[in-house]
Structures are given as C-alpha cells and as structure tokens.
Amino acid sequence: MSDVSNPGPVEPCSADPASGARLEPLPGRASDLMGLPIRRLLPTRGRRMIGPWCFLDGFGPRSFASGKPMDVAPHPHIGLQTVSWLLAGEILHRDSTGATGVGCPGVLNLMTSGRGIAHSEETPEAHTGALHGVQLWVALPEASRHVEPEFEQHEARVVAEDHGARARLVMGELAGTRSPATAHSPLCAVELELAAGARLVLPLEPGFEHALLPLAGDVRVADAPLAVETLYDLGTGRRELCVNGGERPGRALLIGGAPFGERIVMWWNFVARDADEIVAAREAWQRGERFGEVAGYPGDRLPAPEVLARPAPR
Ligand code: MN
C-alpha cells in the first residue's frame, strides 16, 4: 500500500486520550488508491496511533470480472512493517529483497521495511474476482527501525473458539499464544468470526491500547451494535472484551499494543523521527538509490510527492 493522498505536513498530535476503557467510533475518511476506493481509518482526527499501529486502510468488498483493482507500483518504505490481511481475493507482493508472495484469506503477509525496502502490490492474473481486506502499518521502535528488510507469510492460528465464534491470531500475542510473525514491540492483531448470536469473551492485555474494526455483517460489543468499516477506540485497561454476532454473522479485526511512547514523523510511506530523515529517504528514492529494485512489476515505479512543508514530529 502507498499513501497516495497528497501528504502535507503532519498535524500536531492532539493530546492522548485519558486512559480507561471506552467504545468510541473514530472518524475515518474515503480515499482512493490508484482508482481503488479505500477507507483511511488511521491516522485520523484525534487519534494517530493504537499502540504501534500507525496506519489502517480498508478496501472492498469488491467483485470484478477483469482488470486489476489492486495495482500499486513499486514504492519505498522506511521505519515500519506492513500487515496485509484479506477476507477475500488475492494480492501479489513483490519487493526489493527479491521476495514475492500471493496473499490470500487466512494468511498474513508481513513486510518489515526496517532501513528501507521497495515493493509493489497488484491483483495477480489468477484471481477469484473478489477483493476485500485491510492493510495496516506498525511503527518500528528505535531499537528495530534500521533492521534489514524482510518479507514473511504466516497462517493465522485459532486462539479462542466458542459455539460459532472464532478468534484467529494474525500477529502478536493473545491469551498466552504468540504468533511466529516477527513483531518488534508488544502488540496483537486478531480476526474474529462470529456466527449469528455467537459470543466470545477475549482476554486482553490491560496495558495495551485496543481498537476494533467491524469488517462485515453484524458485530456487537457486549450486545451494543457497531457500524461496519468504522474503527472503534476501545481505550486501555480492559482485561477482557465480550464480542458477539447479532441477527447475522459478523467479522471484525481487533488490534492492540503497548502505548508507543516515541515521537514519530509520518510522511508519504515513511515513518521516521525527524524531517531530515524523511527528506533524505525521499531524495534517495527519487535518485534510484538505497531501496533497490522491484523485479517483475509491469510498469514504472511511483514517484515521490513533493515535500510541501517539512513534516513535524508528533
Ligand atoms: Mn506499500
């Protein structure tokens, strides 16, 4: 994924909300990724991060008979991991480490940019004609943000199940189970599948910030119905979360993590600590240095936008 909205200066972060549990919808906004309609759910007004999660885009559900609804040409990243999770369809990933992989439902595609990577994401020639999913970015902490770039795929594991409700661990830790996917700070990403009327009580890490994204159908928290494609801030201090399906089945994604505690600068596809790092990464990309080549993508790479103002730390 590439942030193709015209990036201006990063707005100063509003004060972190007070600690404590809440169930508060965050204002997302409609955007566009190379012609594919997307919903930008993080960062958003009033909330920049949930733990280390600093970016969340939702796309689809969409059906298509021809063409490539997902087609993001090679572009660079620094200082983050991209977490791609599909409910339907396929995405072909290629990157400058030479890795390629087709993401499909149930399998995490995880790319660690570390000091720098370039990648492309496109609908493969062999596809099911569907596309529905999310992409998230995890900010890397200081100790890990210059690591070597890497690409991994991991099947999600069932961590909780109860009468038609199922939780699958996508990344991180939940209920004493740890995903083999490489994580550089304490976090979790969990997909929930809820049959109509089904109920699941998930144990949470009370020190984490959590948020819940209903992706389809009828998803409720302690019987309170939620809107799909809206990210709900759950706050902190929760030891458990009761999620249930309503009259119809539902699917949702739970994310959480320890409060990040480091000021970051986010601009275009870069997560850094100051404007000089951003400008240096942009210039290196424009010169064709530092990030390597993405082999096999049928087209040109994405040019970086102009730096309109020096991005401010937050
Ligand atoms: Mn990307």
Side-chain angles (χ1 to χ4, degrees):
M1 232 53 168
S2 171
D3 183 355
V4 292
S5 56
N6 194 11
V10 174
E11 293 164 32
C13 187
S14 46
D16 281 341
S19 61
R22 61 179 70 83
L23 179 63
E24 199 174 283
L26 297 171
R29 65 184 167 87
S31 189
D32 181 272
L33 180 71
M34 304 293 154
L36 175 69
I38 57 167
R39 294 173 302 284
R40 173 68 42 80
L41 300 167
L42 268 184
T44 184
R45 249 180 317 115
R47 195 77 211 210
R48 292 285 161 185
M49 298 175 85
I50 301 290
W53 303 97
C54 60
F55 177 98
L56 171 50
D57 268 357
F59 47 89
R62 180 168 174 158
S63 303
F64 58 98
S66 61
K68 287 168 74 172
M70 176 68 72
D71 191 5
V72 187
H75 58 277
H77 288 286
I78 62 169
L80 57 79
Q81 293 175 294
T82 65
V83 172
S84 301
W85 180 254
L86 290 170
L87 281 76
E90 304 77 21
I91 296 177
L92 168 60
H93 162 99
R94 309 178 204 260
D95 70 44
S96 52
T97 71
T100 63
V102 176
C104 57
V107 177
L108 163 70
N109 269 22
L110 176 65
M111 184 183 78
T112 302
S113 78
R115 61 180 172 75
I117 197 169
H119 73 147
S120 61
E121 295 156 291
E122 55 185 315
T123 299
E125 274 179 34
H127 59 71
T128 53
L131 186 61
H132 189 195
V134 290
Q135 186 174 102
L136 306 99
W137 298 354
V138 180
L140 292 172
E142 184 59 36
S144 307
R145 67 191 187 99
H146 303 296
V147 297
E148 291 297 305
E150 186 181 14
F151 177 72
E152 303 163 51
Q153 291 185 308
H154 300 279
E155 208 166 307
R157 299 176 177 184
V158 175
V159 283
E161 218 166 357
D162 189 11
H163 296 96
R166 185 171 75 153
R168 285 192 293 178
L169 182 62
V170 176
M171 187 176 175
E173 293 176 62
L174 189 92
T177 300
R178 180 179 293 202
S179 162
T182 305
H184 294 272
S185 64
L187 59 83
C188 69
V190 180
E191 197 209 48
L192 307 171
E193 290 177 82
L194 305 161
R199 180 177 295 266
L200 195 58
V201 178
L202 292 171
L204 299 188
E205 167 53 51
F208 279 11
E209 300 167 347
H210 287 101
L212 185 69
L213 172 62
L215 292 161
D218 199 342
V219 176
R220 304 181 179 197
V221 166
D223 296 318
L226 307 182
V228 290
E229 301 169 1
T230 298
L231 185 65
Y232 287 83
D233 181 4
L234 298 172
T236 58
R238 286 180 186 265
R239 294 189 178 279
E240 58 180 38
L241 182 70
C242 176
V243 286
N244 54 294
E247 289 161 16
R248 293 170 296 133
R251 292 178 82 173
L253 182 74
L254 172 74
I255 57 171
F260 193 62
E262 294 178 39
R263 285 159 65 90
I264 63 170
V265 176
M266 240 175 103
W267 184 86
W268 194 37
N269 300 312
F270 303 138
V271 172
R273 294 299 181 273
D274 61 43
D276 289 346
E277 289 180 6
I278 298 279
V279 169
R282 181 191 178 279
E283 287 176 356
W285 175 251
Q286 293 299 87
R287 286 195 304 265
E289 297 168 0
R290 177 172 168 177
F291 294 97
E293 294 293 323
V294 179
Y297 178 79
D300 294 336
R301 57 195 216 136
L302 286 183
E306 294 296 325
V307 179
L308 298 175
R310 290 173 72 80
R314 58 185 175 82

